[in-house]
Amino acid sequence: MPIFGDNTPGGDTFPCSDDRALFALFTLPVDGDITQMNVIFDTSSTAGSNAKALIYSDVAGNPSVLLAASAGVAVPGGGGDITFPMTVSLPAGDYWLGCVTDSFQCVFDGDTGSGVRIESFTYASPQDPVSGTIDGKAFQLDVYATYDIPAPPPSGLPTYPVSSELYF
């Protein structure tokens, strides 16, 4: 199944904190039915944190409206590539993929790049829409979404209702 986002562990890390969210902007190239998101956590992560994966719309280069949020998932000691089941259908376009945690034990994995950090971003109830200070960072979260491409609508000849009555 295709993905959009960054699924390659990077060479940079960023500490988690309770109610801190990180996001990176990615382009979904076609209409897609999202089946899961993955966030990569650094190996220095220790057990004890929970995380939620988030998808936000893009407005003027910033996260705006919450489109999907996963249920909370425990981040294990040693981090890794953690799967967050979720289902949402999205048209092709730009989206902010992100993650919020409930404590400081885990460490995000990422790359030098561009992303945003939002403090005071409630884990229990992610903001919708995003409000407060959006802080640009030279850090791109390693996060990606897996999607299915919806089947196109049937095309061809028009269909007509069938009657069981015979006319002579």
Side-chain angles (χ1 to χ4, degrees):
M1 293 199 320
I3 66 162
F4 79 104
D6 183 356
N7 67 339
T8 306
D12 204 355
T13 62
F14 199 90
C16 296
S17 179
D18 54 333
D19 298 332
R20 171 185 288 160
L22 291 182
F23 295 93
L25 182 64
F26 297 103
T27 300
L28 177 62
V30 296
D31 294 353
D33 295 330
I34 308 303
T35 58
Q36 71 182 43
M37 273 184 57
N38 289 61
V39 178
I40 302 174
F41 290 90
D42 188 65
T43 57
S44 64
S45 297
T46 58
S49 289
N50 296 297
K52 291 181 180 178
L54 308 167
I55 301 176
Y56 279 83
S57 64
D58 175 59
V59 174
N62 286 308
S64 182
V65 176
L66 179 65
L67 302 173
S70 74
V73 172
V75 178
D81 190 329
I82 310 301
T83 299
F84 297 84
M86 69 168 44
T87 304
V88 63
S89 295
L90 299 173
D94 293 336
Y95 296 95
W96 288 92
L97 304 182
C99 187
V100 61
T101 60
D102 68 354
S103 67
F104 60 89
Q105 285 96 338
C106 55
V107 178
F108 290 120
D109 190 86
D111 304 286
T112 301
S114 62
V116 298
R117 175 180 82 183
I118 305 171
E119 300 290 344
S120 301
F121 194 95
T122 307
Y123 170 83
S125 181
Q127 297 175 5
D128 185 21
V130 171
S131 61
T133 302
I134 298 174
D135 185 17
K137 288 291 169 199
F139 178 84
Q140 180 176 300
L141 182 64
D142 287 337
V143 59
Y144 60 98
T146 302
Y147 63 96
D148 290 322
I149 299 171
S155 62
L157 299 174
T159 59
Y160 298 98
V162 176
S163 172
S164 61
E165 296 180 33
L166 296 175
Y167 296 98
F168 293 98

